Amino acid sequence: MAPSLDDGSSLFNFVVRDGNGVKGMVDLGLSTVPKPYVQPPKERIDTRMASRHEGAPIDLSRLDGPDHDEVVKEIVMAAETFGFFQLVNHGVPVDLLESLKDAAHDFFGQPSEKKAVYRKEVSPSPLVKYGTSFVPEKEKALEWKDYISMIYTNDAEALQQWPKECREVALEYLKTSMTMVRRLLEILMGNLGVELDDTKIDGLIGMKMVNMNFYPTCPDPDLTVGVGRHSDMGTLTILLQDGIGGLYVKVAEEIANIGKKGEWVEIPPVPGALVINIGDALQILSNGKYKSAEHRVRTTSTKSRVSVPIFTSPRPSEKIAPLPQIVEKDGMARYREVIFGDYMRNFFGNVHDGKKSIEFAQI
């Protein structure tokens, strides 16, 4: 039964509990933004107050050649200042990236009941969760986003349990991205004086998850957000954007050629590029040397948008703390040791609120 768009609890049940998502609501025909989705003015994204990141993407194919040191420097500098950078020639085939966007549209284009079988309460697999917003039960204003989340354990389980509309292409994306992730970690950890072996890599990215995000068209993007202000909890995030754009990153401290402190900067889509961002776990391990970036997503009125992130993070049982050699150099630890599973529970148990999540580990 169609909900009353003016009745908050009827709408909540339709969108969240029954699994129709924002797309199901939009498909009813909307001319205005329903009240539960209207953000308070301070959370809205004012494009007039934001700038665009005009820097060229980093070309990963220049590693191991005459420009090797320069590329390393670019990656380290981005991780230390902005927490975000774009990569081209990253080793993930561009036609695979196009197939991935198509698969996301295919999955979200299905009737609601086909997607709703993966709701957390009823999903046939603990590895797959379909949902909407972030923590809808606790949010004062809901986020204009539906998503499917797929945890990786091994190839066989992924091919058996992930949704058939996207399992093969999502798994291929994850597997072909790992060489690039490994190179980035070798560079970033090497800069901290840590040499990586397989055990250490597994400690950093032992848990992997592929999400597909769907942002349906919105009648008034100025009133809503696709995703609220937050930093990612893990080690590194790899993000495929489509051509529509809408990703904004906050400048923590003034950065030449990027922006002033507190300014929001749009990361424009670059054909064939992947966006990389630093997560909280890497900020903690580096004792704050690398910065997890606060970011958010704007909605669009013209065309539904998709994005496909890979989240890499330590396993829930892993203990994370600032690396001893960095603490020795810095003279103090800025973060306490935490079991990553506890960090995750805190992260997923609270609404998006900028970089508040990292306070859980702060001394």
Side-chain angles (χ1 to χ4, degrees), residues 154-173:
N154 57 54
D155 291 8
E157 287 191 345
L159 290 170
Q160 194 183 5
Q161 299 182 35
W162 290 5
K164 67 176 190 310
E165 295 74 20
C166 53
R167 59 172 65 140
E168 286 178 5
V169 71
L171 180 60
E172 189 65 18
Y173 171 50

PDB file of all heavy atoms in Angstrom, residues 154-173:
ATOM      1  N   ASN A 154      35.339 -15.249   0.714  1.00  0.00           N
ATOM      2  CA  ASN A 154      36.123 -15.949  -0.305  1.00  0.00           C
ATOM      3  C   ASN A 154      35.309 -15.939  -1.603  1.00  0.00           C
ATOM      4  O   ASN A 154      34.123 -15.579  -1.596  1.00  0.00           O
ATOM      5  CB  ASN A 154      36.463 -17.381   0.142  1.00  0.00           C
ATOM      6  CG  ASN A 154      35.217 -18.199   0.472  1.00  0.00           C
ATOM      7  OD1 ASN A 154      34.305 -18.318  -0.354  1.00  0.00           O
ATOM      8  ND2 ASN A 154      35.169 -18.748   1.682  1.00  0.00           N
ATOM      9  N   ASP A 155      35.959 -16.303  -2.702  1.00  0.00           N
ATOM     10  CA  ASP A 155      35.304 -16.237  -4.014  1.00  0.00           C
ATOM     11  C   ASP A 155      34.039 -17.100  -4.070  1.00  0.00           C
ATOM     12  O   ASP A 155      32.999 -16.673  -4.575  1.00  0.00           O
ATOM     13  CB  ASP A 155      36.258 -16.708  -5.119  1.00  0.00           C
ATOM     14  CG  ASP A 155      37.408 -15.737  -5.333  1.00  0.00           C
ATOM     15  OD1 ASP A 155      37.540 -14.787  -4.533  1.00  0.00           O
ATOM     16  OD2 ASP A 155      38.175 -15.932  -6.299  1.00  0.00           O
ATOM     17  N   ALA A 156      34.137 -18.323  -3.527  1.00  0.00           N
ATOM     18  CA  ALA A 156      33.020 -19.262  -3.638  1.00  0.00           C
ATOM     19  C   ALA A 156      31.768 -18.711  -2.953  1.00  0.00           C
ATOM     20  O   ALA A 156      30.665 -18.749  -3.510  1.00  0.00           O
ATOM     21  CB  ALA A 156      33.401 -20.612  -3.037  1.00  0.00           C
ATOM     22  N   GLU A 157      31.941 -18.163  -1.739  1.00  0.00           N
ATOM     23  CA  GLU A 157      30.777 -17.629  -1.009  1.00  0.00           C
ATOM     24  C   GLU A 157      30.215 -16.386  -1.687  1.00  0.00           C
ATOM     25  O   GLU A 157      29.003 -16.174  -1.712  1.00  0.00           O
ATOM     26  CB  GLU A 157      31.142 -17.343   0.449  1.00  0.00           C
ATOM     27  CG  GLU A 157      31.301 -18.618   1.263  1.00  0.00           C
ATOM     28  CD  GLU A 157      31.395 -18.382   2.761  1.00  0.00           C
ATOM     29  OE1 GLU A 157      31.613 -17.232   3.187  1.00  0.00           O
ATOM     30  OE2 GLU A 157      31.254 -19.369   3.514  1.00  0.00           O
ATOM     31  N   ALA A 158      31.110 -15.559  -2.249  1.00  0.00           N
ATOM     32  CA  ALA A 158      30.647 -14.357  -2.962  1.00  0.00           C
ATOM     33  C   ALA A 158      29.785 -14.770  -4.159  1.00  0.00           C
ATOM     34  O   ALA A 158      28.686 -14.243  -4.374  1.00  0.00           O
ATOM     35  CB  ALA A 158      31.825 -13.501  -3.418  1.00  0.00           C
ATOM     36  N   LEU A 159      30.267 -15.733  -4.925  1.00  0.00           N
ATOM     37  CA  LEU A 159      29.539 -16.166  -6.135  1.00  0.00           C
ATOM     38  C   LEU A 159      28.248 -16.919  -5.806  1.00  0.00           C
ATOM     39  O   LEU A 159      27.337 -16.995  -6.617  1.00  0.00           O
ATOM     40  CB  LEU A 159      30.445 -17.037  -7.008  1.00  0.00           C
ATOM     41  CG  LEU A 159      31.593 -16.278  -7.677  1.00  0.00           C
ATOM     42  CD1 LEU A 159      32.579 -17.236  -8.333  1.00  0.00           C
ATOM     43  CD2 LEU A 159      31.090 -15.254  -8.700  1.00  0.00           C
ATOM     44  N   GLN A 160      28.193 -17.415  -4.593  1.00  0.00           N
ATOM     45  CA  GLN A 160      27.001 -18.158  -4.175  1.00  0.00           C
ATOM     46  C   GLN A 160      25.976 -17.234  -3.504  1.00  0.00           C
ATOM     47  O   GLN A 160      24.776 -17.394  -3.703  1.00  0.00           O
ATOM     48  CB  GLN A 160      27.456 -19.235  -3.182  1.00  0.00           C
ATOM     49  CG  GLN A 160      26.434 -20.296  -2.885  1.00  0.00           C
ATOM     50  CD  GLN A 160      26.969 -21.278  -1.832  1.00  0.00           C
ATOM     51  OE1 GLN A 160      28.038 -21.101  -1.281  1.00  0.00           O
ATOM     52  NE2 GLN A 160      26.204 -22.305  -1.557  1.00  0.00           N
ATOM     53  N   GLN A 161      26.466 -16.256  -2.723  1.00  0.00           N
ATOM     54  CA  GLN A 161      25.563 -15.522  -1.830  1.00  0.00           C
ATOM     55  C   GLN A 161      25.300 -14.070  -2.228  1.00  0.00           C
ATOM     56  O   GLN A 161      24.280 -13.505  -1.852  1.00  0.00           O
ATOM     57  CB  GLN A 161      26.102 -15.574  -0.394  1.00  0.00           C
ATOM     58  CG  GLN A 161      26.186 -16.998   0.129  1.00  0.00           C
ATOM     59  CD  GLN A 161      26.678 -17.067   1.575  1.00  0.00           C
ATOM     60  OE1 GLN A 161      26.377 -16.214   2.387  1.00  0.00           O
ATOM     61  NE2 GLN A 161      27.449 -18.097   1.890  1.00  0.00           N
ATOM     62  N   TRP A 162      26.226 -13.435  -2.945  1.00  0.00           N
ATOM     63  CA  TRP A 162      25.967 -12.051  -3.366  1.00  0.00           C
ATOM     64  C   TRP A 162      24.829 -12.061  -4.404  1.00  0.00           C
ATOM     65  O   TRP A 162      24.623 -13.075  -5.093  1.00  0.00           O
ATOM     66  CB  TRP A 162      27.221 -11.436  -3.976  1.00  0.00           C
ATOM     67  CG  TRP A 162      28.329 -11.169  -2.986  1.00  0.00           C
ATOM     68  CD1 TRP A 162      28.363 -11.494  -1.664  1.00  0.00           C
ATOM     69  CD2 TRP A 162      29.581 -10.521  -3.260  1.00  0.00           C
ATOM     70  NE1 TRP A 162      29.557 -11.096  -1.092  1.00  0.00           N
ATOM     71  CE2 TRP A 162      30.311 -10.489  -2.055  1.00  0.00           C
ATOM     72  CE3 TRP A 162      30.146  -9.967  -4.404  1.00  0.00           C
ATOM     73  CZ2 TRP A 162      31.584  -9.922  -1.960  1.00  0.00           C
ATOM     74  CZ3 TRP A 162      31.422  -9.398  -4.320  1.00  0.00           C
ATOM     75  CH2 TRP A 162      32.118  -9.365  -3.114  1.00  0.00           C
ATOM     76  N   PRO A 163      24.096 -10.946  -4.582  1.00  0.00           N
ATOM     77  CA  PRO A 163      22.983 -10.923  -5.549  1.00  0.00           C
ATOM     78  C   PRO A 163      23.452 -11.229  -6.971  1.00  0.00           C
ATOM     79  O   PRO A 163      24.485 -10.729  -7.415  1.00  0.00           O
ATOM     80  CB  PRO A 163      22.467  -9.484  -5.454  1.00  0.00           C
ATOM     81  CG  PRO A 163      22.904  -9.012  -4.113  1.00  0.00           C
ATOM     82  CD  PRO A 163      24.208  -9.680  -3.831  1.00  0.00           C
ATOM     83  N   LYS A 164      22.685 -12.060  -7.667  1.00  0.00           N
ATOM     84  CA  LYS A 164      23.130 -12.540  -8.991  1.00  0.00           C
ATOM     85  C   LYS A 164      23.251 -11.409 -10.010  1.00  0.00           C
ATOM     86  O   LYS A 164      24.017 -11.501 -10.957  1.00  0.00           O
ATOM     87  CB  LYS A 164      22.215 -13.650  -9.495  1.00  0.00           C
ATOM     88  CG  LYS A 164      20.792 -13.252  -9.836  1.00  0.00           C
ATOM     89  CD  LYS A 164      20.032 -14.460 -10.411  1.00  0.00           C
ATOM     90  CE  LYS A 164      18.687 -14.108 -10.991  1.00  0.00           C
ATOM     91  NZ  LYS A 164      17.811 -13.313 -10.131  1.00  0.00           N
ATOM     92  N   GLU A 165      22.504 -10.301  -9.811  1.00  0.00           N
ATOM     93  CA  GLU A 165      22.543  -9.175 -10.759  1.00  0.00           C
ATOM     94  C   GLU A 165      23.921  -8.508 -10.797  1.00  0.00           C
ATOM     95  O   GLU A 165      24.269  -7.850 -11.772  1.00  0.00           O
ATOM     96  CB  GLU A 165      21.501  -8.106 -10.388  1.00  0.00           C
ATOM     97  CG  GLU A 165      20.063  -8.543 -10.489  1.00  0.00           C
ATOM     98  CD  GLU A 165      19.655  -9.483  -9.353  1.00  0.00           C
ATOM     99  OE1 GLU A 165      20.330  -9.518  -8.296  1.00  0.00           O
ATOM    100  OE2 GLU A 165      18.659 -10.204  -9.538  1.00  0.00           O
ATOM    101  N   CYS A 166      24.701  -8.657  -9.717  1.00  0.00           N
ATOM    102  CA  CYS A 166      25.965  -7.904  -9.666  1.00  0.00           C
ATOM    103  C   CYS A 166      27.139  -8.702  -9.114  1.00  0.00           C
ATOM    104  O   CYS A 166      28.253  -8.183  -9.046  1.00  0.00           O
ATOM    105  CB  CYS A 166      25.771  -6.632  -8.834  1.00  0.00           C
ATOM    106  SG  CYS A 166      25.077  -6.932  -7.187  1.00  0.00           S
ATOM    107  N   ARG A 167      26.937  -9.985  -8.734  1.00  0.00           N
ATOM    108  CA  ARG A 167      27.995 -10.704  -8.000  1.00  0.00           C
ATOM    109  C   ARG A 167      29.282 -10.852  -8.798  1.00  0.00           C
ATOM    110  O   ARG A 167      30.375 -10.617  -8.264  1.00  0.00           O
ATOM    111  CB  ARG A 167      27.492 -12.067  -7.528  1.00  0.00           C
ATOM    112  CG  ARG A 167      27.028 -12.994  -8.658  1.00  0.00           C
ATOM    113  CD  ARG A 167      26.708 -14.417  -8.165  1.00  0.00           C
ATOM    114  NE  ARG A 167      25.582 -14.462  -7.268  1.00  0.00           N
ATOM    115  CZ  ARG A 167      24.639 -15.410  -7.275  1.00  0.00           C
ATOM    116  NH1 ARG A 167      24.684 -16.379  -8.195  1.00  0.00           N
ATOM    117  NH2 ARG A 167      23.674 -15.407  -6.397  1.00  0.00           N
ATOM    118  N   GLU A 168      29.191 -11.233 -10.060  1.00  0.00           N
ATOM    119  CA  GLU A 168      30.416 -11.527 -10.824  1.00  0.00           C
ATOM    120  C   GLU A 168      31.243 -10.275 -11.075  1.00  0.00           C
ATOM    121  O   GLU A 168      32.457 -10.260 -10.882  1.00  0.00           O
ATOM    122  CB  GLU A 168      30.062 -12.228 -12.138  1.00  0.00           C
ATOM    123  CG  GLU A 168      29.642 -13.672 -11.897  1.00  0.00           C
ATOM    124  CD  GLU A 168      29.240 -14.406 -13.162  1.00  0.00           C
ATOM    125  OE1 GLU A 168      29.370 -13.824 -14.254  1.00  0.00           O
ATOM    126  OE2 GLU A 168      28.790 -15.563 -13.042  1.00  0.00           O
ATOM    127  N   VAL A 169      30.554  -9.213 -11.483  1.00  0.00           N
ATOM    128  CA  VAL A 169      31.281  -7.975 -11.800  1.00  0.00           C
ATOM    129  C   VAL A 169      31.810  -7.311 -10.516  1.00  0.00           C
ATOM    130  O   VAL A 169      32.918  -6.765 -10.495  1.00  0.00           O
ATOM    131  CB  VAL A 169      30.387  -7.030 -12.653  1.00  0.00           C
ATOM    132  CG1 VAL A 169      29.246  -6.432 -11.874  1.00  0.00           C
ATOM    133  CG2 VAL A 169      31.212  -5.933 -13.301  1.00  0.00           C
ATOM    134  N   ALA A 170      31.057  -7.414  -9.412  1.00  0.00           N
ATOM    135  CA  ALA A 170      31.520  -6.826  -8.140  1.00  0.00           C
ATOM    136  C   ALA A 170      32.750  -7.570  -7.619  1.00  0.00           C
ATOM    137  O   ALA A 170      33.698  -6.965  -7.117  1.00  0.00           O
ATOM    138  CB  ALA A 170      30.393  -6.857  -7.108  1.00  0.00           C
ATOM    139  N   LEU A 171      32.741  -8.899  -7.750  1.00  0.00           N
ATOM    140  CA  LEU A 171      33.887  -9.694  -7.303  1.00  0.00           C
ATOM    141  C   LEU A 171      35.120  -9.405  -8.155  1.00  0.00           C
ATOM    142  O   LEU A 171      36.236  -9.263  -7.636  1.00  0.00           O
ATOM    143  CB  LEU A 171      33.531 -11.185  -7.359  1.00  0.00           C
ATOM    144  CG  LEU A 171      34.623 -12.161  -6.916  1.00  0.00           C
ATOM    145  CD1 LEU A 171      35.039 -11.910  -5.468  1.00  0.00           C
ATOM    146  CD2 LEU A 171      34.161 -13.612  -7.085  1.00  0.00           C
ATOM    147  N   GLU A 172      34.920  -9.277  -9.460  1.00  0.00           N
ATOM    148  CA  GLU A 172      36.033  -8.965 -10.366  1.00  0.00           C
ATOM    149  C   GLU A 172      36.641  -7.596 -10.032  1.00  0.00           C
ATOM    150  O   GLU A 172      37.861  -7.417 -10.018  1.00  0.00           O
ATOM    151  CB  GLU A 172      35.502  -8.988 -11.811  1.00  0.00           C
ATOM    152  CG  GLU A 172      36.560  -8.889 -12.894  1.00  0.00           C
ATOM    153  CD  GLU A 172      37.521 -10.080 -12.941  1.00  0.00           C
ATOM    154  OE1 GLU A 172      37.220 -11.155 -12.379  1.00  0.00           O
ATOM    155  OE2 GLU A 172      38.587  -9.910 -13.539  1.00  0.00           O
ATOM    156  N   TYR A 173      35.787  -6.641  -9.739  1.00  0.00           N
ATOM    157  CA  TYR A 173      36.209  -5.277  -9.333  1.00  0.00           C
ATOM    158  C   TYR A 173      37.058  -5.353  -8.065  1.00  0.00           C
ATOM    159  O   TYR A 173      38.150  -4.767  -7.983  1.00  0.00           O
ATOM    160  CB  TYR A 173      34.947  -4.449  -9.116  1.00  0.00           C
ATOM    161  CG  TYR A 173      35.102  -3.080  -8.493  1.00  0.00           C
ATOM    162  CD1 TYR A 173      36.022  -2.147  -8.956  1.00  0.00           C
ATOM    163  CD2 TYR A 173      34.239  -2.690  -7.456  1.00  0.00           C
ATOM    164  CE1 TYR A 173      36.109  -0.875  -8.393  1.00  0.00           C
ATOM    165  CE2 TYR A 173      34.313  -1.423  -6.902  1.00  0.00           C
ATOM    166  CZ  TYR A 173      35.250  -0.514  -7.357  1.00  0.00           C
ATOM    167  OH  TYR A 173      35.324   0.743  -6.802  1.00  0.00           O
TER     168      TYR A 173
END
